[in-house]
Amino acid sequence: MKGKILLLALLLFLTGCKQEIDGRQISLDKAKGYYESLIEADLEKQMEYLEAFSLDPEEYFESFLKYVEGGKLHELSIEYEDDLLVMVKLDMDLELSSAFPSNPSLESGTNRVIRYLSYYKTDDYRLKEILNKPIY
């Protein structure tokens, strides 16, 4: 009987550890998918990743995505984690066409961009925030 209880406790412990590792990997995979769909200017996939933001697809494409010409990934890493969320640091170059209308954070040409993407564990690791700097 003691052996069965010990085995059950060990299995529960290992299952808990596996979920934690999987959650971190899920967040990294989603952030990489977001990055790839961004530099490929794939509107359909971008809308899937940005679902929580309720963006108008046509407006998003016309005001931003159609100007994206590519990019280069520098870093994708776990920046922070707690019981509610996993925050991923995305450091990249983003290439925008010469026709891009400059704004306070981006301009035409190569832009070095660092974003922090927050994935909430209680909502199936759905992207909820994109920040310029982390908030802990």
Side-chain angles (χ1 to χ4, degrees):
M1 182 70 173
K2 284 184 179 179
K4 288 181 182 180
I5 292 173
L6 184 58
L7 181 60
L8 180 61
L10 179 62
L11 288 174
L12 288 173
F13 173 75
L14 292 175
T15 302
C17 292
K18 184 177 181 346
Q19 288 173 347
E20 198 66 36
I21 293 168
D22 287 346
R24 295 169 65 91
Q25 190 59 50
I26 288 168
S27 299
L28 287 170
D29 291 346
K30 286 187 175 198
K32 186 174 184 185
Y34 165 78
Y35 162 77
E36 289 172 348
S37 67
L38 176 61
I39 65 164
E40 294 168 1
D42 184 331
L43 180 61
E44 186 176 322
K45 286 186 180 179
Q46 277 284 285
M47 289 296 98
E48 288 174 19
Y49 287 110
L50 299 172
E51 175 188 10
F53 300 95
S54 302
L55 298 172
D56 176 81
E58 187 176 316
E59 184 179 325
Y60 177 69
F61 183 79
E62 289 299 319
S63 66
F64 175 68
L65 200 58
K66 75 177 186 179
Y67 299 106
V68 176
E69 295 183 334
K72 178 182 177 187
L73 182 63
H74 293 289
E75 180 183 0
L76 190 63
S77 61
I78 302 294
E79 177 71 16
Y80 176 80
E81 181 178 13
D82 64 23
D83 292 340
L84 298 175
L85 67 90
V86 177
M87 184 181 291
V88 176
K89 178 181 181 183
L90 171 60
D91 181 358
M92 66 180 166
D93 285 339
L94 183 62
E95 296 287 335
L96 298 173
S97 77
S98 60
F100 179 74
S102 295
N103 63 44
S105 57
L106 298 171
E107 57 187 35
S108 62
T110 303
N111 294 268
R112 183 72 180 252
V113 178
I114 298 175
R115 295 292 183 262
Y116 297 88
L117 298 90
S118 296
Y119 296 93
Y120 282 72
K121 295 177 179 183
T122 57
D123 195 9
D124 292 329
Y125 295 89
R126 188 171 155 204
L127 179 62
K128 294 283 190 157
E129 297 174 320
I130 300 176
L131 306 167
N132 291 336
K133 53 188 162 188
I135 299 173
Y136 303 110

